[in-house]
mmCIF file of all heavy atoms in Angstrom:
data_model
loop_
_atom_site.group_PDB
_atom_site.id
_atom_site.type_symbol
_atom_site.label_atom_id
_atom_site.label_comp_id
_atom_site.label_asym_id
_atom_site.label_seq_id
_atom_site.Cartn_x
_atom_site.Cartn_y
_atom_site.Cartn_z
ATOM 1 N N SER A 265 -1.038 -20.284 -12.584
ATOM 2 C CA SER A 265 -0.046 -20.998 -13.365
ATOM 3 C C SER A 265 0.604 -20.031 -14.341
ATOM 4 O O SER A 265 0.121 -18.920 -14.545
ATOM 5 C CB SER A 265 -0.667 -22.187 -14.108
ATOM 6 O OG SER A 265 -1.667 -21.752 -15.018
ATOM 7 N N ARG A 266 1.699 -20.450 -14.957
ATOM 8 C CA ARG A 266 2.394 -19.580 -15.891
ATOM 9 C C ARG A 266 2.927 -20.378 -17.064
ATOM 10 O O ARG A 266 3.246 -21.571 -16.944
ATOM 11 C CB ARG A 266 3.531 -18.815 -15.196
ATOM 12 C CG ARG A 266 4.611 -19.704 -14.605
ATOM 13 C CD ARG A 266 5.551 -18.901 -13.710
ATOM 14 N NE ARG A 266 6.404 -18.007 -14.478
ATOM 15 C CZ ARG A 266 7.098 -16.990 -13.958
ATOM 16 N NH1 ARG A 266 7.003 -16.728 -12.651
ATOM 17 N NH2 ARG A 266 7.866 -16.241 -14.733
ATOM 18 N N ASP A 267 3.034 -19.704 -18.187
ATOM 19 C CA ASP A 267 3.615 -20.257 -19.393
ATOM 20 C C ASP A 267 4.716 -19.294 -19.805
ATOM 21 O O ASP A 267 4.454 -18.243 -20.388
ATOM 22 C CB ASP A 267 2.570 -20.401 -20.496
ATOM 23 C CG ASP A 267 3.110 -21.100 -21.725
ATOM 24 O OD1 ASP A 267 4.324 -21.071 -21.961
ATOM 25 O OD2 ASP A 267 2.297 -21.694 -22.468
ATOM 26 N N ASN A 268 5.940 -19.639 -19.478
ATOM 27 C CA ASN A 268 7.052 -18.737 -19.733
ATOM 28 C C ASN A 268 7.295 -18.509 -21.226
ATOM 29 O O ASN A 268 7.726 -17.425 -21.628
ATOM 30 C CB ASN A 268 8.317 -19.269 -19.072
ATOM 31 C CG ASN A 268 8.247 -19.225 -17.561
ATOM 32 O OD1 ASN A 268 7.621 -18.336 -16.984
ATOM 33 N ND2 ASN A 268 8.894 -20.176 -16.906
ATOM 34 N N ALA A 269 7.017 -19.509 -22.038
ATOM 35 C CA ALA A 269 7.203 -19.363 -23.476
ATOM 36 C C ALA A 269 6.264 -18.318 -24.061
ATOM 37 O O ALA A 269 6.573 -17.683 -25.064
ATOM 38 C CB ALA A 269 7.006 -20.700 -24.182
ATOM 39 N N LYS A 270 5.102 -18.153 -23.429
ATOM 40 C CA LYS A 270 4.111 -17.184 -23.893
ATOM 41 C C LYS A 270 4.080 -15.923 -23.042
ATOM 42 O O LYS A 270 3.254 -15.041 -23.287
ATOM 43 C CB LYS A 270 2.723 -17.819 -23.900
ATOM 44 C CG LYS A 270 2.582 -18.990 -24.859
ATOM 45 C CD LYS A 270 1.169 -19.558 -24.828
ATOM 46 C CE LYS A 270 1.019 -20.703 -25.807
ATOM 47 N NZ LYS A 270 -0.355 -21.272 -25.772
ATOM 48 N N ASN A 271 4.967 -15.850 -22.054
ATOM 49 C CA ASN A 271 5.008 -14.701 -21.145
ATOM 50 C C ASN A 271 3.633 -14.422 -20.545
ATOM 51 O O ASN A 271 3.200 -13.265 -20.447
ATOM 52 C CB ASN A 271 5.533 -13.458 -21.873
ATOM 53 C CG ASN A 271 6.940 -13.636 -22.388
ATOM 54 O OD1 ASN A 271 7.788 -14.213 -21.708
ATOM 55 N ND2 ASN A 271 7.202 -13.138 -23.589
ATOM 56 N N THR A 272 2.978 -15.481 -20.134
ATOM 57 C CA THR A 272 1.585 -15.391 -19.718
ATOM 58 C C THR A 272 1.367 -16.028 -18.347
ATOM 59 O O THR A 272 1.945 -17.072 -18.039
ATOM 60 C CB THR A 272 0.676 -16.069 -20.750
ATOM 61 O OG1 THR A 272 0.816 -15.409 -22.011
ATOM 62 C CG2 THR A 272 -0.781 -16.001 -20.326
ATOM 63 N N VAL A 273 0.522 -15.393 -17.557
ATOM 64 C CA VAL A 273 0.086 -15.944 -16.290
ATOM 65 C C VAL A 273 -1.417 -16.171 -16.360
ATOM 66 O O VAL A 273 -2.151 -15.382 -16.972
ATOM 67 C CB VAL A 273 0.457 -15.015 -15.110
ATOM 68 C CG1 VAL A 273 -0.210 -13.648 -15.243
ATOM 69 C CG2 VAL A 273 0.089 -15.666 -13.776
ATOM 70 N N TYR A 274 -1.870 -17.249 -15.733
ATOM 71 C CA TYR A 274 -3.279 -17.611 -15.742
ATOM 72 C C TYR A 274 -3.806 -17.692 -14.320
ATOM 73 O O TYR A 274 -3.068 -17.952 -13.374
ATOM 74 C CB TYR A 274 -3.489 -18.973 -16.412
ATOM 75 C CG TYR A 274 -2.943 -19.081 -17.807
ATOM 76 C CD1 TYR A 274 -1.668 -19.586 -18.039
ATOM 77 C CD2 TYR A 274 -3.702 -18.687 -18.904
ATOM 78 C CE1 TYR A 274 -1.160 -19.696 -19.320
ATOM 79 C CE2 TYR A 274 -3.202 -18.789 -20.189
ATOM 80 C CZ TYR A 274 -1.929 -19.297 -20.395
ATOM 81 O OH TYR A 274 -1.436 -19.403 -21.674
ATOM 82 N N LEU A 275 -5.094 -17.496 -14.194
ATOM 83 C CA LEU A 275 -5.771 -17.720 -12.930
ATOM 84 C C LEU A 275 -7.038 -18.509 -13.212
ATOM 85 O O LEU A 275 -8.000 -17.971 -13.767
ATOM 86 C CB LEU A 275 -6.114 -16.405 -12.228
ATOM 87 C CG LEU A 275 -6.715 -16.552 -10.830
ATOM 88 C CD1 LEU A 275 -5.681 -17.137 -9.864
ATOM 89 C CD2 LEU A 275 -7.232 -15.215 -10.303
ATOM 90 N N GLN A 276 -7.015 -19.784 -12.850
ATOM 91 C CA GLN A 276 -8.192 -20.629 -12.971
ATOM 92 C C GLN A 276 -9.015 -20.475 -11.707
ATOM 93 O O GLN A 276 -8.531 -20.759 -10.604
ATOM 94 C CB GLN A 276 -7.786 -22.089 -13.170
ATOM 95 C CG GLN A 276 -8.951 -23.067 -13.250
ATOM 96 C CD GLN A 276 -9.812 -22.865 -14.476
ATOM 97 O OE1 GLN A 276 -9.286 -22.666 -15.565
ATOM 98 N NE2 GLN A 276 -11.127 -22.914 -14.299
ATOM 99 N N MET A 277 -10.247 -20.025 -11.853
ATOM 100 C CA MET A 277 -11.118 -19.758 -10.721
ATOM 101 C C MET A 277 -12.302 -20.715 -10.774
ATOM 102 O O MET A 277 -13.119 -20.654 -11.694
ATOM 103 C CB MET A 277 -11.602 -18.311 -10.735
ATOM 104 C CG MET A 277 -10.469 -17.289 -10.750
ATOM 105 S SD MET A 277 -11.062 -15.580 -10.619
ATOM 106 C CE MET A 277 -11.913 -15.428 -12.195
ATOM 107 N N ASP A 278 -12.384 -21.584 -9.790
ATOM 108 C CA ASP A 278 -13.467 -22.553 -9.683
ATOM 109 C C ASP A 278 -14.280 -22.284 -8.428
ATOM 110 O O ASP A 278 -13.830 -21.610 -7.509
ATOM 111 C CB ASP A 278 -12.911 -23.980 -9.647
ATOM 112 C CG ASP A 278 -12.139 -24.364 -10.890
ATOM 113 O OD1 ASP A 278 -12.575 -23.998 -12.000
ATOM 114 O OD2 ASP A 278 -11.092 -25.039 -10.756
ATOM 115 N N SER A 279 -15.475 -22.847 -8.389
ATOM 116 C CA SER A 279 -16.365 -22.694 -7.234
ATOM 117 C C SER A 279 -16.493 -21.236 -6.820
ATOM 118 O O SER A 279 -16.367 -20.884 -5.645
ATOM 119 C CB SER A 279 -15.853 -23.541 -6.061
ATOM 120 O OG SER A 279 -15.778 -24.902 -6.414
ATOM 121 N N LEU A 280 -16.747 -20.393 -7.790
ATOM 122 C CA LEU A 280 -16.792 -18.956 -7.536
ATOM 123 C C LEU A 280 -17.934 -18.584 -6.599
ATOM 124 O O LEU A 280 -19.027 -19.157 -6.652
ATOM 125 C CB LEU A 280 -16.923 -18.199 -8.849
ATOM 126 C CG LEU A 280 -15.617 -18.092 -9.643
ATOM 127 C CD1 LEU A 280 -15.893 -17.746 -11.093
ATOM 128 C CD2 LEU A 280 -14.705 -17.046 -9.009
ATOM 129 N N LYS A 281 -17.658 -17.615 -5.751
ATOM 130 C CA LYS A 281 -18.610 -17.100 -4.787
ATOM 131 C C LYS A 281 -18.918 -15.641 -5.088
ATOM 132 O O LYS A 281 -18.156 -14.964 -5.776
ATOM 133 C CB LYS A 281 -18.047 -17.219 -3.365
ATOM 134 C CG LYS A 281 -17.627 -18.618 -2.960
ATOM 135 C CD LYS A 281 -16.973 -18.599 -1.587
ATOM 136 C CE LYS A 281 -16.542 -19.987 -1.160
ATOM 137 N NZ LYS A 281 -15.874 -19.965 0.178
ATOM 138 N N ARG A 282 -20.014 -15.151 -4.534
ATOM 139 C CA ARG A 282 -20.354 -13.741 -4.738
ATOM 140 C C ARG A 282 -19.270 -12.826 -4.192
ATOM 141 O O ARG A 282 -19.042 -11.736 -4.736
ATOM 142 C CB ARG A 282 -21.696 -13.425 -4.088
ATOM 143 C CG ARG A 282 -22.886 -14.057 -4.792
ATOM 144 C CD ARG A 282 -24.201 -13.704 -4.113
ATOM 145 N NE ARG A 282 -25.343 -14.233 -4.851
ATOM 146 C CZ ARG A 282 -25.810 -15.468 -4.703
ATOM 147 N NH1 ARG A 282 -25.247 -16.307 -3.845
ATOM 148 N NH2 ARG A 282 -26.859 -15.870 -5.418
ATOM 149 N N GLY A 283 -18.574 -13.256 -3.157
ATOM 150 C CA GLY A 283 -17.507 -12.472 -2.580
ATOM 151 C C GLY A 283 -16.282 -12.343 -3.470
ATOM 152 O O GLY A 283 -15.389 -11.543 -3.176
ATOM 153 N N ASP A 284 -16.224 -13.123 -4.544
ATOM 154 C CA ASP A 284 -15.119 -13.028 -5.492
ATOM 155 C C ASP A 284 -15.322 -11.902 -6.500
ATOM 156 O O ASP A 284 -14.419 -11.629 -7.300
ATOM 157 C CB ASP A 284 -14.939 -14.345 -6.241
ATOM 158 C CG ASP A 284 -14.549 -15.489 -5.324
ATOM 159 O OD1 ASP A 284 -13.722 -15.277 -4.422
ATOM 160 O OD2 ASP A 284 -15.083 -16.608 -5.519
ATOM 161 N N THR A 285 -16.477 -11.284 -6.495
ATOM 162 C CA THR A 285 -16.754 -10.188 -7.411
ATOM 163 C C THR A 285 -15.765 -9.047 -7.191
ATOM 164 O O THR A 285 -15.637 -8.528 -6.083
ATOM 165 C CB THR A 285 -18.185 -9.677 -7.230
ATOM 166 O OG1 THR A 285 -19.111 -10.714 -7.581
ATOM 167 C CG2 THR A 285 -18.447 -8.469 -8.116
ATOM 168 N N ALA A 286 -15.066 -8.669 -8.245
ATOM 169 C CA ALA A 286 -14.043 -7.633 -8.147
ATOM 170 C C ALA A 286 -13.456 -7.384 -9.527
ATOM 171 O O ALA A 286 -13.710 -8.128 -10.471
ATOM 172 C CB ALA A 286 -12.935 -8.055 -7.186
ATOM 173 N N VAL A 287 -12.665 -6.322 -9.624
ATOM 174 C CA VAL A 287 -11.808 -6.127 -10.781
ATOM 175 C C VAL A 287 -10.494 -6.831 -10.485
ATOM 176 O O VAL A 287 -9.875 -6.586 -9.449
ATOM 177 C CB VAL A 287 -11.571 -4.639 -11.080
ATOM 178 C CG1 VAL A 287 -10.616 -4.481 -12.253
ATOM 179 C CG2 VAL A 287 -12.891 -3.942 -11.374
ATOM 180 N N TYR A 288 -10.084 -7.703 -11.371
ATOM 181 C CA TYR A 288 -8.864 -8.469 -11.193
ATOM 182 C C TYR A 288 -7.745 -7.876 -12.045
ATOM 183 O O TYR A 288 -7.925 -7.610 -13.239
ATOM 184 C CB TYR A 288 -9.095 -9.929 -11.579
ATOM 185 C CG TYR A 288 -9.876 -10.692 -10.543
ATOM 186 C CD1 TYR A 288 -11.232 -10.454 -10.355
ATOM 187 C CD2 TYR A 288 -9.258 -11.644 -9.731
ATOM 188 C CE1 TYR A 288 -11.952 -11.130 -9.387
ATOM 189 C CE2 TYR A 288 -9.968 -12.330 -8.767
ATOM 190 C CZ TYR A 288 -11.315 -12.073 -8.594
ATOM 191 O OH TYR A 288 -12.026 -12.759 -7.630
ATOM 192 N N TYR A 289 -6.593 -7.685 -11.417
ATOM 193 C CA TYR A 289 -5.434 -7.106 -12.076
ATOM 194 C C TYR A 289 -4.270 -8.086 -12.027
ATOM 195 O O TYR A 289 -3.982 -8.653 -10.978
ATOM 196 C CB TYR A 289 -4.986 -5.818 -11.390
ATOM 197 C CG TYR A 289 -6.017 -4.718 -11.376
ATOM 198 C CD1 TYR A 289 -6.942 -4.608 -10.344
ATOM 199 C CD2 TYR A 289 -6.055 -3.768 -12.394
ATOM 200 C CE1 TYR A 289 -7.875 -3.595 -10.324
ATOM 201 C CE2 TYR A 289 -6.985 -2.751 -12.378
ATOM 202 C CZ TYR A 289 -7.895 -2.664 -11.340
ATOM 203 O OH TYR A 289 -8.822 -1.653 -11.315
ATOM 204 N N CYS A 290 -3.589 -8.267 -13.138
ATOM 205 C CA CYS A 290 -2.379 -9.062 -13.131
ATOM 206 C C CYS A 290 -1.176 -8.155 -12.933
ATOM 207 O O CYS A 290 -1.214 -6.970 -13.240
ATOM 208 C CB CYS A 290 -2.230 -9.883 -14.416
ATOM 209 S SG CYS A 290 -2.167 -8.911 -15.940
ATOM 210 N N ASN A 291 -0.127 -8.741 -12.418
ATOM 211 C CA ASN A 291 1.116 -8.025 -12.189
ATOM 212 C C ASN A 291 2.274 -8.948 -12.542
ATOM 213 O O ASN A 291 2.277 -10.115 -12.147
ATOM 214 C CB ASN A 291 1.214 -7.582 -10.723
ATOM 215 C CG ASN A 291 2.512 -6.870 -10.409
ATOM 216 O OD1 ASN A 291 3.535 -7.511 -10.140
ATOM 217 N ND2 ASN A 291 2.474 -5.552 -10.433
ATOM 218 N N GLU A 292 3.213 -8.433 -13.300
ATOM 219 C CA GLU A 292 4.386 -9.209 -13.670
ATOM 220 C C GLU A 292 5.639 -8.380 -13.479
ATOM 221 O O GLU A 292 5.666 -7.197 -13.808
ATOM 222 C CB GLU A 292 4.293 -9.689 -15.132
ATOM 223 C CG GLU A 292 3.075 -10.550 -15.403
ATOM 224 C CD GLU A 292 3.055 -11.146 -16.804
ATOM 225 O OE1 GLU A 292 4.073 -11.063 -17.509
ATOM 226 O OE2 GLU A 292 2.005 -11.715 -17.180
ATOM 227 N N GLU A 293 6.660 -9.016 -12.933
ATOM 228 C CA GLU A 293 7.970 -8.390 -12.792
ATOM 229 C C GLU A 293 8.761 -8.759 -14.036
ATOM 230 O O GLU A 293 9.249 -9.875 -14.167
ATOM 231 C CB GLU A 293 8.650 -8.865 -11.517
ATOM 232 C CG GLU A 293 7.883 -8.477 -10.261
ATOM 233 C CD GLU A 293 8.480 -9.059 -9.003
ATOM 234 O OE1 GLU A 293 9.228 -10.056 -9.093
ATOM 235 O OE2 GLU A 293 8.210 -8.520 -7.912
ATOM 236 N N VAL A 294 8.895 -7.794 -14.947
ATOM 237 C CA VAL A 294 9.432 -8.045 -16.279
ATOM 238 C C VAL A 294 10.800 -7.393 -16.449
ATOM 239 O O VAL A 294 10.975 -6.216 -16.155
ATOM 240 C CB VAL A 294 8.482 -7.520 -17.371
ATOM 241 C CG1 VAL A 294 9.011 -7.891 -18.750
ATOM 242 C CG2 VAL A 294 7.082 -8.079 -17.174
ATOM 243 N N ASP A 295 11.751 -8.167 -16.946
ATOM 244 C CA ASP A 295 13.061 -7.661 -17.321
ATOM 245 C C ASP A 295 13.099 -7.600 -18.841
ATOM 246 O O ASP A 295 13.061 -8.642 -19.502
ATOM 247 C CB ASP A 295 14.168 -8.559 -16.780
ATOM 248 C CG ASP A 295 15.562 -8.004 -17.004
ATOM 249 O OD1 ASP A 295 15.727 -7.096 -17.834
ATOM 250 O OD2 ASP A 295 16.503 -8.495 -16.341
ATOM 251 N N TYR A 296 13.186 -6.393 -19.391
ATOM 252 C CA TYR A 296 13.210 -6.208 -20.841
ATOM 253 C C TYR A 296 14.631 -6.168 -21.398
ATOM 254 O O TYR A 296 14.821 -5.835 -22.565
ATOM 255 C CB TYR A 296 12.464 -4.937 -21.231
ATOM 256 C CG TYR A 296 10.960 -5.071 -21.133
ATOM 257 C CD1 TYR A 296 10.288 -4.745 -19.956
ATOM 258 C CD2 TYR A 296 10.215 -5.532 -22.206
ATOM 259 C CE1 TYR A 296 8.916 -4.878 -19.861
ATOM 260 C CE2 TYR A 296 8.840 -5.666 -22.118
ATOM 261 C CZ TYR A 296 8.192 -5.335 -20.944
ATOM 262 O OH TYR A 296 6.829 -5.463 -20.852
ATOM 263 N N GLY A 297 15.608 -6.509 -20.583
ATOM 264 C CA GLY A 297 16.986 -6.519 -21.034
ATOM 265 C C GLY A 297 17.573 -5.143 -21.226
ATOM 266 O O GLY A 297 18.489 -4.964 -22.038
ATOM 267 N N LEU A 298 17.075 -4.172 -20.499
ATOM 268 C CA LEU A 298 17.533 -2.796 -20.615
ATOM 269 C C LEU A 298 18.631 -2.449 -19.619
ATOM 270 O O LEU A 298 19.130 -1.329 -19.617
ATOM 271 C CB LEU A 298 16.355 -1.832 -20.429
ATOM 272 C CG LEU A 298 15.185 -2.021 -21.386
ATOM 273 C CD1 LEU A 298 14.050 -1.080 -21.012
ATOM 274 C CD2 LEU A 298 15.627 -1.789 -22.817
ATOM 275 N N GLY A 299 18.968 -3.408 -18.767
ATOM 276 C CA GLY A 299 19.997 -3.164 -17.783
ATOM 277 C C GLY A 299 19.509 -2.518 -16.509
ATOM 278 O O GLY A 299 20.328 -2.105 -15.674
ATOM 279 N N VAL A 300 18.195 -2.430 -16.341
ATOM 280 C CA VAL A 300 17.620 -1.797 -15.156
ATOM 281 C C VAL A 300 16.948 -2.811 -14.240
ATOM 282 O O VAL A 300 16.331 -2.421 -13.251
ATOM 283 C CB VAL A 300 16.612 -0.697 -15.546
ATOM 284 C CG1 VAL A 300 17.314 0.409 -16.314
ATOM 285 C CG2 VAL A 300 15.475 -1.276 -16.376
ATOM 286 N N GLY A 301 17.052 -4.074 -14.567
ATOM 287 C CA GLY A 301 16.420 -5.101 -13.760
ATOM 288 C C GLY A 301 14.942 -5.247 -14.062
ATOM 289 O O GLY A 301 14.467 -4.885 -15.139
ATOM 290 N N TYR A 302 14.219 -5.761 -13.084
ATOM 291 C CA TYR A 302 12.797 -6.014 -13.271
ATOM 292 C C TYR A 302 11.965 -4.752 -13.117
ATOM 293 O O TYR A 302 12.216 -3.926 -12.237
ATOM 294 C CB TYR A 302 12.304 -7.060 -12.279
ATOM 295 C CG TYR A 302 12.878 -8.429 -12.507
ATOM 296 C CD1 TYR A 302 13.804 -8.975 -11.616
ATOM 297 C CD2 TYR A 302 12.504 -9.183 -13.613
ATOM 298 C CE1 TYR A 302 14.332 -10.232 -11.828
ATOM 299 C CE2 TYR A 302 13.036 -10.444 -13.833
ATOM 300 C CZ TYR A 302 13.950 -10.965 -12.942
ATOM 301 O OH TYR A 302 14.480 -12.217 -13.155
ATOM 302 N N LEU A 303 10.985 -4.612 -13.986
ATOM 303 C CA LEU A 303 10.004 -3.542 -13.910
ATOM 304 C C LEU A 303 8.666 -4.152 -13.540
ATOM 305 O O LEU A 303 8.259 -5.170 -14.101
ATOM 306 C CB LEU A 303 9.884 -2.806 -15.248
ATOM 307 C CG LEU A 303 11.157 -2.153 -15.793
ATOM 308 C CD1 LEU A 303 10.891 -1.578 -17.182
ATOM 309 C CD2 LEU A 303 11.649 -1.066 -14.851
ATOM 310 N N GLU A 304 7.981 -3.532 -12.596
ATOM 311 C CA GLU A 304 6.677 -4.021 -12.179
ATOM 312 C C GLU A 304 5.617 -3.477 -13.124
ATOM 313 O O GLU A 304 5.415 -2.268 -13.220
ATOM 314 C CB GLU A 304 6.384 -3.602 -10.742
ATOM 315 C CG GLU A 304 5.125 -4.214 -10.182
ATOM 316 C CD GLU A 304 4.943 -3.885 -8.717
ATOM 317 O OE1 GLU A 304 5.442 -4.660 -7.874
ATOM 318 O OE2 GLU A 304 4.318 -2.847 -8.426
ATOM 319 N N VAL A 305 4.949 -4.372 -13.822
ATOM 320 C CA VAL A 305 3.987 -3.995 -14.847
ATOM 321 C C VAL A 305 2.606 -4.507 -14.462
ATOM 322 O O VAL A 305 2.465 -5.653 -14.027
ATOM 323 C CB VAL A 305 4.388 -4.560 -16.226
ATOM 324 C CG1 VAL A 305 3.459 -4.035 -17.313
ATOM 325 C CG2 VAL A 305 5.834 -4.197 -16.543
ATOM 326 N N TRP A 306 1.594 -3.666 -14.641
ATOM 327 C CA TRP A 306 0.218 -3.995 -14.299
ATOM 328 C C TRP A 306 -0.653 -4.126 -15.534
ATOM 329 O O TRP A 306 -0.483 -3.409 -16.528
ATOM 330 C CB TRP A 306 -0.394 -2.915 -13.397
ATOM 331 C CG TRP A 306 0.168 -2.877 -12.015
ATOM 332 C CD1 TRP A 306 1.240 -2.159 -11.579
ATOM 333 C CD2 TRP A 306 -0.328 -3.591 -10.878
ATOM 334 N NE1 TRP A 306 1.453 -2.380 -10.243
ATOM 335 C CE2 TRP A 306 0.499 -3.259 -9.787
ATOM 336 C CE3 TRP A 306 -1.392 -4.473 -10.681
ATOM 337 C CZ2 TRP A 306 0.293 -3.780 -8.509
ATOM 338 C CZ3 TRP A 306 -1.590 -4.992 -9.414
ATOM 339 C CH2 TRP A 306 -0.748 -4.643 -8.339
ATOM 340 N N GLY A 307 -1.607 -5.036 -15.456
ATOM 341 C CA GLY A 307 -2.615 -5.135 -16.489
ATOM 342 C C GLY A 307 -3.685 -4.079 -16.307
ATOM 343 O O GLY A 307 -3.713 -3.357 -15.305
ATOM 344 N N GLN A 308 -4.578 -3.991 -17.282
ATOM 345 C CA GLN A 308 -5.607 -2.954 -17.260
ATOM 346 C C GLN A 308 -6.780 -3.292 -16.352
ATOM 347 O O GLN A 308 -7.607 -2.414 -16.060
ATOM 348 C CB GLN A 308 -6.121 -2.705 -18.691
ATOM 349 C CG GLN A 308 -7.178 -3.696 -19.190
ATOM 350 C CD GLN A 308 -6.618 -5.023 -19.666
ATOM 351 O OE1 GLN A 308 -5.422 -5.292 -19.570
ATOM 352 N NE2 GLN A 308 -7.497 -5.870 -20.209
#
């Protein structure tokens, strides 16, 4: 889900399995109004 007012994306994970073990990274296509369009930005 996303909250555009907060510029935030969420991932609700239910019924987790051992196979879900991983490092999870978010990615957002962000336009900072610089005239270059969307920039692909990654979380840590």
Side-chain angles (χ1 to χ4, degrees):
S265 61
R266 61 191 289 164
D267 186 335
N268 292 327
K270 297 181 179 179
N271 298 320
T272 299
V273 61
Y274 304 94
L275 185 67
Q276 178 66 43
M277 304 185 293
D278 299 320
S279 301
L280 283 162
K281 304 175 180 179
R282 290 180 176 85
D284 296 319
T285 296
V287 177
Y288 285 72
Y289 299 89
C290 60
N291 178 276
E292 301 186 11
E293 297 174 339
V294 184
D295 186 343
Y296 286 91
L298 303 175
V300 297
Y302 293 110
L303 301 175
E304 187 174 270
V305 186
W306 290 90
Q308 82 281 4

